Amino acid sequence: MKFKHISSAMLALTLSATALPGLASAKVVVLGWPGGSEETALRATTDLYNKTASDADKVELLFFNRDGFFDKLQADMAAGSNAFDVNLVATYSIGRYAPYMEPIELDADAPKVFGDAVLKTMQFDGKQYGVPTDLSLHFMYYRKDLIDALIADPDAKATYAEISKKYLGKELAPKQPDEWTWDDWAATSLYFSKQANRQSPVRYGTVLQMKNLLFNMMVFQSLPRSYGGDWMDASGNITIDSDAYKTGLKLYKTLYDAGASPKDSLSYEYAETNAAFSSGQTATALQWNAAAAELTDAKKSPAVADVTGIVAPPAGPNGRADHIHGLGLGLNKNAQNKEGAIKFLKWLSSEDAALAYARAGGSPALTPDVVAKVAKERPDLVKLGEFASKYGYVMTGATSAKALSVYELQAKEFTGYWSGQQSLEDALAHTKAGMQDLLKK
């Protein structure tokens, strides 16, 4: 039988170490992420698995509500619940749940299916704790019509060089977005901003997500990462006060202060970025891959759908970098049917399962050879898999138990700098001190 999202009252029952009433007949109980394409894809893939699974290995699904999901899950697992055999896990929360889970062994071909960078999104302390099912990363969205017109116009090129010299200290020439460095992106963003260039055909060159919100730090950090930045070194020393982070933070502030992004960008996150770009008044946007479906849909974004291009984030001295994190499924240490759960997880990491999950609407990041098999049905997954394999990274320490707290700390301090409430030095000093406390062994 299928399970609906359970209410808060029913959820309380999972906090005991006994199975939920009504699940006594379940063979392998899987707790998944509720709602959206993740639930739809998991249901379809589970149905496929159950067609050939023995009665002892058949899977039944369980879904909590989204509100407070991760806190509820931690409380449940800490209480020793065996109400589910397999549970959801996310890159930035693996460290919270690892004490209550067991490492798993994936299908032998999993590295060929997902690639090492994607598999690492489900690893903690060098061990594999989950099968990566859905991946998130960032695309650089841009207006193809605006860029093509700029490159074809000699007078516009001259203005572009003057603007880049004024704000960035060097004369640059416009390039196609797939060749951009961060300075090229910045120069383009300034050129297409009315405040810096009164002849710009649009009001803003970009839209920055600068709200004091942890997920905005994930969008931002690929900039310092491409300059060699990381949270900590191999010895565990916090390295947030590096030249790489200083460069990235200052570049964002330069663009914001120059009016390249709307003045209310300090309150912007995902939805506001989509709204600004889809309005037709913004030339570029570094945004989550999930936005592609909206920004390239003629009904949802009629002003830009036909002229929106997508490339990976710009390059720094260390090449391109694209933050990735994922949702996945792993093994509850207190699983009642551990053997059946292990069989399901191993199958879920196989090529057949990954392709089925993709065809059902999920967002797995697949290697080029594998994603080619669903490219016609899911063209968006081609770039997702390509960028994840080539440029994907996870910051050192970003799967720890306090990873979300680190992002929250960075959001508070970095937004304080961008808004002019504190100096760059103070922002980095506060962030470093807080991270030393959060990430200490």
Side-chain angles (χ1 to χ4, degrees), residues 312-325:
N318 286 38
R320 281 171 152 169
D322 204 340
H323 162 91
I324 56 175
H325 71 247

Side-chain angles (χ1 to χ4, degrees), residues 185 189 204-210 219 252 260-262 264-265 268-270 272-278 282-287:
W185 166 71
S189 298
Y204 303 107
T206 194
V207 51
L208 303 175
Q209 301 186 39
M210 304 174 80
V219 178
Y252 257 47
S261 185
D264 54 349
S265 295
Y268 277 21
E269 53 176 301
Y270 180 87
E272 291 80 7
T273 299
N274 274 12
F277 190 83
S278 63
T282 305
T284 74
L286 183 63
Q287 174 67 306

Side-chain angles (χ1 to χ4, degrees), residues 17-358:
T18 59
L20 281 170
L23 290 180
S25 62
K27 303 308 179 185
V28 177
V29 180
V30 175
L31 173 65
W33 182 242
S37 60
E38 297 90 352
E39 179 177 340
T40 301
L42 182 58
R43 287 189 181 279
T45 308
T46 297
D47 285 345
L48 178 64
Y49 178 77
N50 283 341
K51 288 180 179 179
T52 58
S54 67
D55 288 342
D57 295 331
K58 290 191 184 298
V59 170
E60 297 198 14
L61 301 177
L62 172 67
F63 297 97
F64 291 177
N65 292 314
R66 280 188 184 235
D67 292 342
F69 182 97
F70 291 107
D71 289 336
K72 293 171 184 175
L73 177 57
Q74 183 177 19
D76 202 358
M77 299 186 78
S81 175
N82 60 7
F84 46 84
D85 304 295
V86 172
N87 59 275
L88 181 86
V89 67
T91 302
Y92 43 73
S93 64
I94 292 179
R96 295 176 66 180
Y97 308 135
Y100 319 115
M101 299 176 66
E102 289 187 6
I104 60 174
E105 182 178 338
L106 304 181
D107 184 85
D109 288 334
K112 298 178 182 178
V113 175
F114 301 102
D116 291 338
V118 175
L119 292 181
K120 286 180 179 178
T121 65
M122 293 285 111
Q123 293 175 4
F124 180 69
D125 281 349
K127 298 177 182 178
Q128 193 77 36
Y129 277 88
V131 178
T133 54
D134 296 271
L135 194 82
S136 291
L137 48 64
H138 304 115
F139 290 162
M140 178 60 77
Y141 299 86
Y142 68 95
R143 287 279 300 274
K144 293 183 289 186
D145 56 334
L146 297 179
I147 301 299
D148 288 345
L150 165 62
I151 292 176
D153 186 340
D155 292 336
K157 289 181 180 180
T159 301
Y160 184 100
E162 293 172 3
I163 289 174
S164 63
K165 177 67 174 179
K166 176 180 178 180
Y167 289 95
L168 303 176
K170 49 189 169 184
E171 290 189 2
L172 298 173
K175 301 175 183 175
Q176 287 294 341
D178 214 23
E179 302 173 8
W180 280 351
T181 63
W182 287 102
D183 282 342
D184 292 320
W185 166 71
T188 302
S189 298
L190 290 160
Y191 174 84
F192 285 113
S193 301
K194 287 286 188 182
Q195 189 168 319
N197 176 19
R198 297 183 66 181
Q199 302 305 312
S200 172
V202 292
R203 292 183 64 186
Y204 303 107
T206 194
V207 51
L208 303 175
Q209 301 186 39
M210 304 174 80
K211 182 178 180 179
N212 180 2
L213 179 74
L214 67 93
F215 295 107
N216 287 349
M217 296 301 100
M218 299 175 185
V219 178
F220 161 73
Q221 70 179 5
S222 291
L223 199 173
R225 178 71 175 196
S226 70
Y227 279 79
D230 203 344
W231 285 9
M232 59 173 66
D233 61 23
S235 300
N237 299 307
I238 303 301
T239 58
I240 199 75
D241 56 344
S242 63
D243 288 341
Y245 263 90
K246 291 175 183 177
T247 298
L249 287 163
K250 286 193 289 187
L251 188 60
Y252 257 47
K253 187 165 177 58
T254 294
L255 294 178
Y256 177 71
D257 289 347
S261 185
K263 279 301 177 186
D264 54 349
S265 295
L266 291 167
S267 65
Y268 277 21
E269 53 176 301
Y270 180 87
E272 291 80 7
T273 299
N274 274 12
F277 190 83
S278 63
S279 72
Q281 287 298 312
T282 305
T284 74
L286 183 63
Q287 174 67 306
W288 296 94
N289 62 290
E294 178 177 335
L295 299 181
T296 59
D297 187 310
K299 292 183 179 179
K300 295 180 179 179
S301 303
V304 300
D306 292 338
V307 291
T308 295
I310 296 173
V311 293
N318 286 38
R320 281 171 152 169
D322 204 340
H323 162 91
I324 56 175
H325 71 247
L327 295 178
L329 293 169
L331 179 63
N332 180 7
K333 182 181 291 185
N334 291 305
Q336 290 194 95
N337 187 352
K338 194 168 292 186
E339 183 178 346
I342 291 172
K343 288 181 182 179
F344 175 67
L345 290 169
K346 195 166 188 177
W347 175 82
L348 194 63
S349 65
S350 69
E351 180 177 315
D352 287 345
L355 291 174
Y357 194 88

